[in-house]
Amino acid sequence: MEQLKTIGRELAMGSQGGFGQSKEFLDLVKSIGESRSKAEEDRIVLSEIDILKRKLLEPDVPKRKMKEYIIRLVYIEMLGHDASFGYIHAVKMTHDDNLLLKRTGYLAVTLFLDEDHDLIILIVNTIQKDLRSDNYLVVCAALNAVCRLINEETIPAVLPQVVDLLNHGKEAVRKKAIMALHRFHRKSPSSVSHLVSNFRRKLCDSDPGVMGATLCPLFDLISEDVASYKDLVSSFVGILKQVTERKLPKSYDYHQMPAPFIQIKLLKIMALLSSGDKSASEMMYMVLGDLFRKCDSSTNIGNAILYECIRCISCIIPSPKLLEDAAEAISKFLKSDSHNLKYMGIDGLGRLIKISSDIAEQHQLAVIDCLEDPDDTLKRKTFELLYKMTKSSNVEVIVDRMIDYMISINDNHYKTEIASRCVELAEQFAPSNQWFIQIMNKVFEHAGDLVNIKVAHNLMRLIAEGFGEDDDDADNKLRLSAVESYLQIISEPKLPSLFLQVISWVLGEYGTADGKYSASYISGKLCDVADAYSSDETVKGYAVSALMKIYAFEIASGRKVDVLPECQSLIEELLASHSTDLQQRAYELQALLSLDARTVESILPLDASCEDIEVDKDLSFLNGYIQQAIESGAQPYVSERERSGGMFETTDYHSQDHHEVTSHALRFEAYELPKPSVPSQPSAALVPVPEPSYYSEPHQPISTSSSVSERESSEIKLRLDGVKQKWGRPSYQSSTSASSSTPPQAANGTSTHSDGGGVASSSSSKPRSSYESKKPEIDPEKQRLAASLFGGSSSSSRSDRKSSSGGHKPAKGTANKPLATVPKESPITVPDLLDFDEPTGTSDVAATDPFKELEGLMESSRQDGGGSTDVMGLYSTDASAPVKTTTSVDSLLSELSDSSRGTYHQSQTTKGPNSKEALEKDALVRQMGVNPTSQNPTLFKDLLG
Amino acid sequence: MIKAVMMMNTQGKPRLAKFYDFFTVEKQQELIRGVFSVLCSRPENISNFLEIDSLFGPDSWLVYKHYATLYFVLVFDGSENELAMLDLIQVLVETLDKCFSNVCELDIVFNYSKMHTVLDEIVFGGQVLETSSTEVMKAVEDISKLEAASNAVSLVPKSVSRWRGR
């Protein structure tokens, strides 16, 4: 704070109005303002805390001092330091009779305490008393505290008083009482459920402000329970009509708009009430149409109402006329220079696209501009829009864009969101499995730790299942391409764990399947992974299992297995691992290496992750063994049902129970009721199991045949028969079939209903649109993008992309057609019509004038760095204060004396306290001989809100 | 519902912070810092809206306006209209302007409690209470007057009043 340093204390004292503070507080603020580092600031605040602690403990602190201390406490707490040692003093201050002190006390406690704080109990009584006070300011202060400090338990203590206040003489009090009730409703709906009718009644309050306040709780109530408020639709429509017809007192106008905040709330409520309700919607057509006509789109607030209308129309069942109006408003928004309005336009598009899907097409270029805008907010909104309008014809472009953006941002929160959207779109609309795998790879590579583990398992399943039953060749190609892509990626540093798991699994299953890569090459890579990510046990587990599969395939095919030295050392390391899981896997691997080809093949058959495993529920393979046991004198097994018939024969029952167990020595009571489902467990494992268990699958010793089947069954968890496929096989299939056989135009034509591609051919003869002519040099790249996004007839970028897959891309000859799909739009006569930043209305100017001066002031101090002395001069409200330099005032002068300002000054003289000063300054400036000639438009823009 | 109102200067120093749901002091600081770091990374002349789910939980939006050395920030949920919130900042600033004639950062710094008074007349318990700066001014002036009156009576130190009485 350069300015603070030089500003005199007197000056600061002079500007404090009736809320004076002491020298100490000003010193504190000033020294904090001057501090150069956070550490210095902390030091100052800590010493301040010491001082306050001491002072608060002094006996007989004068009340005025105490108030001062409390304000200082609030201040240091805002700076992030604990001021709890003084809370009690703030609480005490609420008890004071003096209004100023009481209000200060309430201010402090509302900022300090939360509703469950222990000290609240000391305040409730005071609040109760103050709510009954004759002084409405006391009541207001208490209501303010009520909103913040009353919790569910204390609501009954103040509820009667608050309800009484609904009929208070002052409308300000009534308003606040309604809002306090609203707050109660939010905190604990049950506590005020019997009072809900009050809100309805207050809708008819004589004061429009109170009525407006009532809309807030009603909005909440209606969003919870639409049906029971349907009767109010006509009242709301009536109110809105009256408001728009300026039936309210002038004092409710804001920037020449009649009560805009009330209008917005009403529109929100009506959107709730009329959603999906034809008759209610119809009641609103008139007033909505009026709004579109009446709203002044040159002011911010006018646009706010227009936007609210669009939102409302997207919720109700609209008439075609209203849709047109909304579309027109949107196109105005999109053509505006203001980013805020563009944002609103994109948002509106996103809402309306649900109702009429072709609405976005006429704005394709605007949308693409927004996509490339430096404004992140706008970009995200646009991605949201794209997400909503994705279909199989444009999914590639959109997902590519999304991924590019995903890679470019650091914000993990949003990265997660956009990654999951990419995955969702890819799963839903993927044109080919190959593409799907590529997209997944990118997502995993750049946001692997942020995506759901399910996604990984879906990907593995896709690779394992491939295209389908009949096309083995394509399957193999797919797998090979997956393996190749993974071998490329695998050596990159710091891959996300989840991605490595997928890579390991795929390499294990299919790394050697094609014969292109040798087992030792793949296993070397896998060892590298296990080495490089030695702290990640999951990845290691996957890698070891993959190694095991590779060796198993080698052994099964009769080749001699050379275990690489690094593999050997890895296995040895894992044999001693602390993780029992890794240990188990290592032992299994070791055991497997010593088995013969036939056994190995039955343990880990090639590419069998998707095969059904026949689970022998009856365990018939044990029959011989049982026979043998019975022959050698064991009791035959009696099932539980049979057993329960003969419960009394306990001894028999004991021995029967464990017929399988060769050693008869161990029999305990606890074994009495074995679960009958034990043998059927493997079959349960066939169901797609929640993935985490895949990793921690139960491992059985490898030596017995039963355990082999067990192991197989757990291995097979990727087998997901009968589960609904996620990536929309039907749509994908239809698209490929169309692409392979039909020429592009026809393909588009057939799907006109979904992507509107047919427009191109029908409108190809139209002259280029005015939008086009206005911007003659539209980047052809953009046009191509537009075409591919919006289902235009052609896109060479897309055809480039797709040339490898020989897909359904259009011929290049039609490349300039999408231009014709841009609708005819008359050029905007007033280009900045919508830019509310421009000072179009005098009232705007009048209202914010001082900020210009402020800005000019800051500007100047920025320009000349140390020239803050003159800032002081300017800052002073005394116009005769000497302005010491001229350079720094220049910017201020220029705007003060330009012609438009002149008129404004005249109009302003009656309006506010500032005009006189401004004129005086102006005069001063002229006196000094500076005659600024041009206005400074950027300043204007900045300053006028 | 409005979740928070903040004013901070371009160096990230909070000048006023009011949260309509309770947060601990540490959390408040974290939020203020978080908001500032988002704001200062945004270039000029772009939209005034931000999705701020990452800081304030789902369905959180932020509108800000940059005046000279100050950021005015409103955080709110989906039940408010973004453009209208932008105008609410405008209302606040207009009111402050009337209040302090040519408001600047210093006024806000030095008139901490008055700031709260003004804000409380505009936003009440997270809902928009009043959007006419004239009305707000009227209310604030009433308060100042009454406070001044009560102040004159009881805040004069006893020694002084005794001395006066003589």
Side-chain angles (χ1 to χ4, degrees), chain A residues 156-183:
Chain A
V158 295
L159 195 54
Q161 283 94 328
V162 174
V163 173
D164 285 347
L165 290 176
L166 288 177
N167 299 313
H168 195 272
K170 279 263 182 191
E171 69 274 357
V173 177
R174 292 206 297 274
K175 256 200 252 183
K176 289 183 181 177
I178 286 171
M179 289 184 164
L181 272 188
H182 179 204
R183 192 81 178 167

PDB file of all heavy atoms in Angstrom, chain A residues 156-183:
ATOM      1  N   PRO A 156     -36.787 -22.211  19.223  1.00  0.00           N
ATOM      2  CA  PRO A 156     -38.044 -21.985  19.958  1.00  0.00           C
ATOM      3  C   PRO A 156     -37.965 -20.795  20.911  1.00  0.00           C
ATOM      4  O   PRO A 156     -38.980 -20.131  21.156  1.00  0.00           O
ATOM      5  CB  PRO A 156     -38.225 -23.291  20.748  1.00  0.00           C
ATOM      6  CG  PRO A 156     -37.432 -24.301  20.012  1.00  0.00           C
ATOM      7  CD  PRO A 156     -36.284 -23.577  19.389  1.00  0.00           C
ATOM      8  N   ALA A 157     -36.778 -20.491  21.396  1.00  0.00           N
ATOM      9  CA  ALA A 157     -36.660 -19.393  22.362  1.00  0.00           C
ATOM     10  C   ALA A 157     -36.981 -18.043  21.743  1.00  0.00           C
ATOM     11  O   ALA A 157     -37.475 -17.140  22.423  1.00  0.00           O
ATOM     12  CB  ALA A 157     -35.256 -19.374  22.949  1.00  0.00           C
ATOM     13  N   VAL A 158     -36.677 -17.885  20.476  1.00  0.00           N
ATOM     14  CA  VAL A 158     -36.903 -16.569  19.869  1.00  0.00           C
ATOM     15  C   VAL A 158     -38.037 -16.581  18.850  1.00  0.00           C
ATOM     16  O   VAL A 158     -38.449 -15.533  18.368  1.00  0.00           O
ATOM     17  CB  VAL A 158     -35.621 -16.056  19.174  1.00  0.00           C
ATOM     18  CG1 VAL A 158     -34.525 -15.819  20.189  1.00  0.00           C
ATOM     19  CG2 VAL A 158     -35.155 -17.009  18.103  1.00  0.00           C
ATOM     20  N   LEU A 159     -38.522 -17.775  18.536  1.00  0.00           N
ATOM     21  CA  LEU A 159     -39.500 -17.880  17.457  1.00  0.00           C
ATOM     22  C   LEU A 159     -40.735 -16.998  17.662  1.00  0.00           C
ATOM     23  O   LEU A 159     -41.132 -16.263  16.759  1.00  0.00           O
ATOM     24  CB  LEU A 159     -39.898 -19.347  17.264  1.00  0.00           C
ATOM     25  CG  LEU A 159     -40.631 -19.673  15.976  1.00  0.00           C
ATOM     26  CD1 LEU A 159     -39.847 -19.199  14.775  1.00  0.00           C
ATOM     27  CD2 LEU A 159     -40.896 -21.161  15.867  1.00  0.00           C
ATOM     28  N   PRO A 160     -41.342 -17.022  18.871  1.00  0.00           N
ATOM     29  CA  PRO A 160     -42.560 -16.198  19.031  1.00  0.00           C
ATOM     30  C   PRO A 160     -42.297 -14.723  18.750  1.00  0.00           C
ATOM     31  O   PRO A 160     -43.094 -14.075  18.066  1.00  0.00           O
ATOM     32  CB  PRO A 160     -42.940 -16.410  20.506  1.00  0.00           C
ATOM     33  CG  PRO A 160     -42.118 -17.522  21.006  1.00  0.00           C
ATOM     34  CD  PRO A 160     -41.008 -17.778  20.084  1.00  0.00           C
ATOM     35  N   GLN A 161     -41.183 -14.229  19.237  1.00  0.00           N
ATOM     36  CA  GLN A 161     -40.876 -12.807  19.019  1.00  0.00           C
ATOM     37  C   GLN A 161     -40.712 -12.516  17.533  1.00  0.00           C
ATOM     38  O   GLN A 161     -41.221 -11.524  17.021  1.00  0.00           O
ATOM     39  CB  GLN A 161     -39.589 -12.409  19.748  1.00  0.00           C
ATOM     40  CG  GLN A 161     -39.757 -12.228  21.237  1.00  0.00           C
ATOM     41  CD  GLN A 161     -39.404 -13.497  21.987  1.00  0.00           C
ATOM     42  OE1 GLN A 161     -39.603 -14.596  21.477  1.00  0.00           O
ATOM     43  NE2 GLN A 161     -38.891 -13.347  23.189  1.00  0.00           N
ATOM     44  N   VAL A 162     -39.989 -13.411  16.860  1.00  0.00           N
ATOM     45  CA  VAL A 162     -39.755 -13.168  15.434  1.00  0.00           C
ATOM     46  C   VAL A 162     -41.075 -13.173  14.678  1.00  0.00           C
ATOM     47  O   VAL A 162     -41.324 -12.333  13.814  1.00  0.00           O
ATOM     48  CB  VAL A 162     -38.780 -14.222  14.861  1.00  0.00           C
ATOM     49  CG1 VAL A 162     -38.660 -14.058  13.360  1.00  0.00           C
ATOM     50  CG2 VAL A 162     -37.415 -14.094  15.506  1.00  0.00           C
ATOM     51  N   VAL A 163     -41.946 -14.114  15.033  1.00  0.00           N
ATOM     52  CA  VAL A 163     -43.240 -14.177  14.361  1.00  0.00           C
ATOM     53  C   VAL A 163     -44.034 -12.892  14.620  1.00  0.00           C
ATOM     54  O   VAL A 163     -44.672 -12.349  13.717  1.00  0.00           O
ATOM     55  CB  VAL A 163     -44.029 -15.420  14.817  1.00  0.00           C
ATOM     56  CG1 VAL A 163     -45.432 -15.389  14.258  1.00  0.00           C
ATOM     57  CG2 VAL A 163     -43.318 -16.679  14.381  1.00  0.00           C
ATOM     58  N   ASP A 164     -43.965 -12.383  15.856  1.00  0.00           N
ATOM     59  CA  ASP A 164     -44.651 -11.125  16.152  1.00  0.00           C
ATOM     60  C   ASP A 164     -44.150 -10.003  15.258  1.00  0.00           C
ATOM     61  O   ASP A 164     -44.913  -9.142  14.820  1.00  0.00           O
ATOM     62  CB  ASP A 164     -44.426 -10.725  17.619  1.00  0.00           C
ATOM     63  CG  ASP A 164     -45.270 -11.572  18.549  1.00  0.00           C
ATOM     64  OD1 ASP A 164     -46.167 -12.262  18.023  1.00  0.00           O
ATOM     65  OD2 ASP A 164     -45.027 -11.559  19.773  1.00  0.00           O
ATOM     66  N   LEU A 165     -42.867 -10.039  15.000  1.00  0.00           N
ATOM     67  CA  LEU A 165     -42.275  -8.953  14.214  1.00  0.00           C
ATOM     68  C   LEU A 165     -42.751  -8.939  12.771  1.00  0.00           C
ATOM     69  O   LEU A 165     -42.576  -7.954  12.068  1.00  0.00           O
ATOM     70  CB  LEU A 165     -40.747  -9.058  14.250  1.00  0.00           C
ATOM     71  CG  LEU A 165     -40.106  -8.744  15.606  1.00  0.00           C
ATOM     72  CD1 LEU A 165     -38.620  -8.970  15.535  1.00  0.00           C
ATOM     73  CD2 LEU A 165     -40.405  -7.317  16.015  1.00  0.00           C
ATOM     74  N   LEU A 166     -43.360 -10.045  12.333  1.00  0.00           N
ATOM     75  CA  LEU A 166     -43.875 -10.066  10.969  1.00  0.00           C
ATOM     76  C   LEU A 166     -44.908  -8.971  10.766  1.00  0.00           C
ATOM     77  O   LEU A 166     -45.203  -8.564   9.654  1.00  0.00           O
ATOM     78  CB  LEU A 166     -44.511 -11.428  10.661  1.00  0.00           C
ATOM     79  CG  LEU A 166     -43.551 -12.603  10.479  1.00  0.00           C
ATOM     80  CD1 LEU A 166     -44.330 -13.880  10.263  1.00  0.00           C
ATOM     81  CD2 LEU A 166     -42.630 -12.359   9.307  1.00  0.00           C
ATOM     82  N   ASN A 167     -45.499  -8.513  11.860  1.00  0.00           N
ATOM     83  CA  ASN A 167     -46.504  -7.464  11.750  1.00  0.00           C
ATOM     84  C   ASN A 167     -46.008  -6.143  12.319  1.00  0.00           C
ATOM     85  O   ASN A 167     -46.797  -5.300  12.733  1.00  0.00           O
ATOM     86  CB  ASN A 167     -47.786  -7.896  12.466  1.00  0.00           C
ATOM     87  CG  ASN A 167     -48.345  -9.152  11.844  1.00  0.00           C
ATOM     88  OD1 ASN A 167     -48.443  -9.246  10.629  1.00  0.00           O
ATOM     89  ND2 ASN A 167     -48.679 -10.123  12.686  1.00  0.00           N
ATOM     90  N   HIS A 168     -44.730  -5.984  12.372  1.00  0.00           N
ATOM     91  CA  HIS A 168     -44.142  -4.756  12.907  1.00  0.00           C
ATOM     92  C   HIS A 168     -44.497  -3.581  12.001  1.00  0.00           C
ATOM     93  O   HIS A 168     -44.756  -3.741  10.804  1.00  0.00           O
ATOM     94  CB  HIS A 168     -42.625  -4.935  12.971  1.00  0.00           C
ATOM     95  CG  HIS A 168     -41.941  -3.904  13.821  1.00  0.00           C
ATOM     96  ND1 HIS A 168     -41.539  -2.709  13.316  1.00  0.00           N
ATOM     97  CD2 HIS A 168     -41.580  -3.909  15.128  1.00  0.00           C
ATOM     98  CE1 HIS A 168     -40.960  -2.005  14.278  1.00  0.00           C
ATOM     99  NE2 HIS A 168     -40.967  -2.707  15.389  1.00  0.00           N
ATOM    100  N   GLY A 169     -44.514  -2.399  12.602  1.00  0.00           N
ATOM    101  CA  GLY A 169     -44.881  -1.217  11.831  1.00  0.00           C
ATOM    102  C   GLY A 169     -43.878  -0.860  10.742  1.00  0.00           C
ATOM    103  O   GLY A 169     -44.241  -0.384   9.669  1.00  0.00           O
ATOM    104  N   LYS A 170     -42.626  -1.078  11.011  1.00  0.00           N
ATOM    105  CA  LYS A 170     -41.585  -0.721  10.036  1.00  0.00           C
ATOM    106  C   LYS A 170     -41.415  -1.826   9.006  1.00  0.00           C
ATOM    107  O   LYS A 170     -41.277  -3.003   9.372  1.00  0.00           O
ATOM    108  CB  LYS A 170     -40.250  -0.540  10.772  1.00  0.00           C
ATOM    109  CG  LYS A 170     -40.114   0.806  11.435  1.00  0.00           C
ATOM    110  CD  LYS A 170     -39.334   1.737  10.522  1.00  0.00           C
ATOM    111  CE  LYS A 170     -39.145   3.089  11.184  1.00  0.00           C
ATOM    112  NZ  LYS A 170     -38.635   4.082  10.239  1.00  0.00           N
ATOM    113  N   GLU A 171     -41.405  -1.461   7.726  1.00  0.00           N
ATOM    114  CA  GLU A 171     -41.271  -2.525   6.732  1.00  0.00           C
ATOM    115  C   GLU A 171     -39.868  -3.150   6.769  1.00  0.00           C
ATOM    116  O   GLU A 171     -39.702  -4.335   6.484  1.00  0.00           O
ATOM    117  CB  GLU A 171     -41.615  -2.020   5.328  1.00  0.00           C
ATOM    118  CG  GLU A 171     -40.658  -1.050   4.704  1.00  0.00           C
ATOM    119  CD  GLU A 171     -40.946   0.397   5.098  1.00  0.00           C
ATOM    120  OE1 GLU A 171     -41.945   0.619   5.821  1.00  0.00           O
ATOM    121  OE2 GLU A 171     -40.167   1.279   4.702  1.00  0.00           O
ATOM    122  N   ALA A 172     -38.880  -2.347   7.191  1.00  0.00           N
ATOM    123  CA  ALA A 172     -37.523  -2.902   7.276  1.00  0.00           C
ATOM    124  C   ALA A 172     -37.490  -4.067   8.262  1.00  0.00           C
ATOM    125  O   ALA A 172     -36.845  -5.085   8.022  1.00  0.00           O
ATOM    126  CB  ALA A 172     -36.540  -1.824   7.698  1.00  0.00           C
ATOM    127  N   VAL A 173     -38.227  -3.900   9.361  1.00  0.00           N
ATOM    128  CA  VAL A 173     -38.256  -4.951  10.370  1.00  0.00           C
ATOM    129  C   VAL A 173     -39.012  -6.171   9.838  1.00  0.00           C
ATOM    130  O   VAL A 173     -38.580  -7.312  10.012  1.00  0.00           O
ATOM    131  CB  VAL A 173     -38.892  -4.437  11.674  1.00  0.00           C
ATOM    132  CG1 VAL A 173     -38.996  -5.554  12.688  1.00  0.00           C
ATOM    133  CG2 VAL A 173     -38.085  -3.289  12.226  1.00  0.00           C
ATOM    134  N   ARG A 174     -40.137  -5.908   9.181  1.00  0.00           N
ATOM    135  CA  ARG A 174     -40.910  -7.033   8.636  1.00  0.00           C
ATOM    136  C   ARG A 174     -40.057  -7.856   7.672  1.00  0.00           C
ATOM    137  O   ARG A 174     -40.030  -9.077   7.716  1.00  0.00           O
ATOM    138  CB  ARG A 174     -42.152  -6.499   7.910  1.00  0.00           C
ATOM    139  CG  ARG A 174     -43.181  -5.866   8.828  1.00  0.00           C
ATOM    140  CD  ARG A 174     -44.580  -5.945   8.231  1.00  0.00           C
ATOM    141  NE  ARG A 174     -44.719  -5.208   6.985  1.00  0.00           N
ATOM    142  CZ  ARG A 174     -45.013  -3.907   6.901  1.00  0.00           C
ATOM    143  NH1 ARG A 174     -45.179  -3.206   8.008  1.00  0.00           N
ATOM    144  NH2 ARG A 174     -45.140  -3.314   5.737  1.00  0.00           N
ATOM    145  N   LYS A 175     -39.358  -7.133   6.817  1.00  0.00           N
ATOM    146  CA  LYS A 175     -38.480  -7.807   5.859  1.00  0.00           C
ATOM    147  C   LYS A 175     -37.479  -8.713   6.567  1.00  0.00           C
ATOM    148  O   LYS A 175     -37.302  -9.869   6.225  1.00  0.00           O
ATOM    149  CB  LYS A 175     -37.690  -6.732   5.107  1.00  0.00           C
ATOM    150  CG  LYS A 175     -38.167  -6.460   3.700  1.00  0.00           C
ATOM    151  CD  LYS A 175     -37.044  -5.794   2.936  1.00  0.00           C
ATOM    152  CE  LYS A 175     -37.300  -4.333   2.661  1.00  0.00           C
ATOM    153  NZ  LYS A 175     -36.275  -3.687   1.861  1.00  0.00           N
ATOM    154  N   LYS A 176     -36.833  -8.135   7.555  1.00  0.00           N
ATOM    155  CA  LYS A 176     -35.791  -8.901   8.229  1.00  0.00           C
ATOM    156  C   LYS A 176     -36.376 -10.067   9.009  1.00  0.00           C
ATOM    157  O   LYS A 176     -35.753 -11.124   9.107  1.00  0.00           O
ATOM    158  CB  LYS A 176     -34.984  -7.990   9.145  1.00  0.00           C
ATOM    159  CG  LYS A 176     -34.108  -7.050   8.336  1.00  0.00           C
ATOM    160  CD  LYS A 176     -33.221  -6.169   9.177  1.00  0.00           C
ATOM    161  CE  LYS A 176     -32.427  -5.259   8.250  1.00  0.00           C
ATOM    162  NZ  LYS A 176     -31.585  -4.301   8.943  1.00  0.00           N
ATOM    163  N   ALA A 177     -37.576  -9.846   9.546  1.00  0.00           N
ATOM    164  CA  ALA A 177     -38.209 -10.950  10.281  1.00  0.00           C
ATOM    165  C   ALA A 177     -38.503 -12.110   9.329  1.00  0.00           C
ATOM    166  O   ALA A 177     -38.286 -13.283   9.662  1.00  0.00           O
ATOM    167  CB  ALA A 177     -39.492 -10.469  10.945  1.00  0.00           C
ATOM    168  N   ILE A 178     -38.954 -11.778   8.129  1.00  0.00           N
ATOM    169  CA  ILE A 178     -39.214 -12.844   7.149  1.00  0.00           C
ATOM    170  C   ILE A 178     -37.938 -13.591   6.828  1.00  0.00           C
ATOM    171  O   ILE A 178     -37.895 -14.829   6.783  1.00  0.00           O
ATOM    172  CB  ILE A 178     -39.823 -12.231   5.867  1.00  0.00           C
ATOM    173  CG1 ILE A 178     -41.268 -11.839   6.134  1.00  0.00           C
ATOM    174  CG2 ILE A 178     -39.755 -13.220   4.719  1.00  0.00           C
ATOM    175  CD1 ILE A 178     -41.874 -11.046   5.011  1.00  0.00           C
ATOM    176  N   MET A 179     -36.881 -12.819   6.646  1.00  0.00           N
ATOM    177  CA  MET A 179     -35.631 -13.473   6.299  1.00  0.00           C
ATOM    178  C   MET A 179     -35.088 -14.312   7.446  1.00  0.00           C
ATOM    179  O   MET A 179     -34.466 -15.351   7.221  1.00  0.00           O
ATOM    180  CB  MET A 179     -34.620 -12.436   5.856  1.00  0.00           C
ATOM    181  CG  MET A 179     -35.023 -11.898   4.496  1.00  0.00           C
ATOM    182  SD  MET A 179     -33.857 -10.763   3.840  1.00  0.00           S
ATOM    183  CE  MET A 179     -34.375 -10.734   2.139  1.00  0.00           C
ATOM    184  N   ALA A 180     -35.340 -13.849   8.668  1.00  0.00           N
ATOM    185  CA  ALA A 180     -34.911 -14.648   9.812  1.00  0.00           C
ATOM    186  C   ALA A 180     -35.693 -15.968   9.837  1.00  0.00           C
ATOM    187  O   ALA A 180     -35.114 -17.044  10.038  1.00  0.00           O
ATOM    188  CB  ALA A 180     -35.129 -13.878  11.101  1.00  0.00           C
ATOM    189  N   LEU A 181     -36.986 -15.882   9.583  1.00  0.00           N
ATOM    190  CA  LEU A 181     -37.790 -17.109   9.525  1.00  0.00           C
ATOM    191  C   LEU A 181     -37.282 -18.032   8.416  1.00  0.00           C
ATOM    192  O   LEU A 181     -37.221 -19.251   8.571  1.00  0.00           O
ATOM    193  CB  LEU A 181     -39.258 -16.764   9.257  1.00  0.00           C
ATOM    194  CG  LEU A 181     -40.151 -16.477  10.452  1.00  0.00           C
ATOM    195  CD1 LEU A 181     -41.590 -16.346   9.979  1.00  0.00           C
ATOM    196  CD2 LEU A 181     -40.050 -17.591  11.482  1.00  0.00           C
ATOM    197  N   HIS A 182     -36.942 -17.421   7.316  1.00  0.00           N
ATOM    198  CA  HIS A 182     -36.400 -18.189   6.201  1.00  0.00           C
ATOM    199  C   HIS A 182     -35.142 -18.936   6.626  1.00  0.00           C
ATOM    200  O   HIS A 182     -34.957 -20.108   6.320  1.00  0.00           O
ATOM    201  CB  HIS A 182     -36.079 -17.226   5.047  1.00  0.00           C
ATOM    202  CG  HIS A 182     -35.498 -17.884   3.851  1.00  0.00           C
ATOM    203  ND1 HIS A 182     -34.732 -17.212   2.947  1.00  0.00           N
ATOM    204  CD2 HIS A 182     -35.552 -19.162   3.413  1.00  0.00           C
ATOM    205  CE1 HIS A 182     -34.339 -18.038   1.993  1.00  0.00           C
ATOM    206  NE2 HIS A 182     -34.826 -19.224   2.256  1.00  0.00           N
ATOM    207  N   ARG A 183     -34.331 -18.237   7.373  1.00  0.00           N
ATOM    208  CA  ARG A 183     -33.097 -18.838   7.869  1.00  0.00           C
ATOM    209  C   ARG A 183     -33.428 -20.024   8.787  1.00  0.00           C
ATOM    210  O   ARG A 183     -32.803 -21.072   8.703  1.00  0.00           O
ATOM    211  CB  ARG A 183     -32.326 -17.768   8.615  1.00  0.00           C
ATOM    212  CG  ARG A 183     -30.921 -18.105   8.945  1.00  0.00           C
ATOM    213  CD  ARG A 183     -30.006 -17.884   7.778  1.00  0.00           C
ATOM    214  NE  ARG A 183     -28.639 -18.180   8.188  1.00  0.00           N
ATOM    215  CZ  ARG A 183     -27.633 -18.325   7.360  1.00  0.00           C
ATOM    216  NH1 ARG A 183     -27.824 -18.208   6.059  1.00  0.00           N
ATOM    217  NH2 ARG A 183     -26.436 -18.585   7.801  1.00  0.00           N
TER     218      ARG A 183
END
